[in-house]
């Protein structure tokens, strides 16, 4: 019985630690962005090999992002994938949008807005140490 209690306690501790690592209350940390960011290096097709859980990608498989240049300042974002509908049939899904760097001196901080959203979201390419 003591072994079972220790196992349950260990599972609860691991669950608490993993939740703490994923959801930290308060402000987001200040992340240094990539100084030599060149958007041209990121154009093309990218496949999602592994990612953090996000509610809008729940149940999505075979995720892919295609970034193409629209003009000198904006890029087109086309995210695609598959998921199962209510009948259990596999269907293709996609979300398209536009991204740009509002401050040319910080090209790694982009604003992105998908066609079905009203607000622009900020995304950053972080500097790896």
């Amino acid at each position: 019985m003591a072994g079972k209690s220790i196992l349950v306690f260990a599972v609860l501790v691991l669950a608490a630690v993993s939740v703490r690592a994923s959801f930290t209350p308060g402000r987001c940390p200040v992340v240094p962005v990539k100084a030599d960011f060149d958007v041209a290096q990121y154009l093309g097709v990218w496949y999602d090999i592994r990612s953090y859980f996000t509610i809008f990608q729940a149940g999505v498989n075979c995720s892919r992002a295609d970034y193409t240049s629209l003009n000198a300042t904006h890029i087109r974002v086309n995210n695609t994938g598959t998921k199962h509908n209510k009948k259990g049939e596999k269907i293709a899904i996609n979300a398209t949008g536009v991204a740009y760097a509002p401050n040319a001196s910080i090209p790694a901080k982009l604003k992105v807005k998908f066609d079905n959203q009203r607000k622009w979201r900020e995304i950053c390419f972080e500097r790896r140490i």
Side-chain angles (χ1 to χ4, degrees):
M1 188 65 166
K4 219 176 202 181
S5 296
I6 292 172
L7 179 62
V8 169
F9 178 74
V11 168
L12 290 174
V13 168
L14 285 173
V17 168
S18 66
V19 168
R20 172 79 175 126
S22 300
F23 304 103
T24 305
R27 305 204 83 196
C28 294
V30 176
V31 177
V33 296
K34 188 168 175 52
D36 59 345
F37 180 74
D38 177 13
V39 73
Q41 293 179 349
Y42 291 88
L43 297 178
V45 177
W46 293 79
Y47 294 91
D48 186 5
I49 295 170
R50 183 176 9 181
S51 62
Y52 292 105
F53 173 80
T54 53
I55 194 68
F56 61 87
Q57 285 189 308
V60 175
N61 295 303
C62 305
S63 296
R64 183 179 105 164
D66 188 2
Y67 304 123
T68 55
S69 179
L70 285 174
N71 56 41
T73 59
H74 289 68
I75 61 172
R76 186 75 174 156
V77 179
N78 184 16
N79 293 338
T80 60
T82 61
K83 73 184 308 183
H84 289 90
N85 64 15
K86 292 179 182 179
K87 295 178 182 177
E89 303 163 328
K90 188 184 276 190
I91 58 170
I93 59 168
N94 90 326
T96 56
V98 175
Y100 76 102
N103 184 344
S105 66
I106 311 172
K109 272 193 176 182
L110 302 175
K111 293 277 189 175
V112 64
K113 185 174 89 62
F114 288 94
D115 297 341
N116 63 348
Q117 296 176 331
R118 286 188 265 190
K119 292 184 178 182
W120 288 86
R121 296 182 310 152
E122 186 174 272
I123 59 171
C124 299
F125 291 88
E126 68 180 296
R127 178 178 55 121
R128 294 287 179 168
I129 299 173

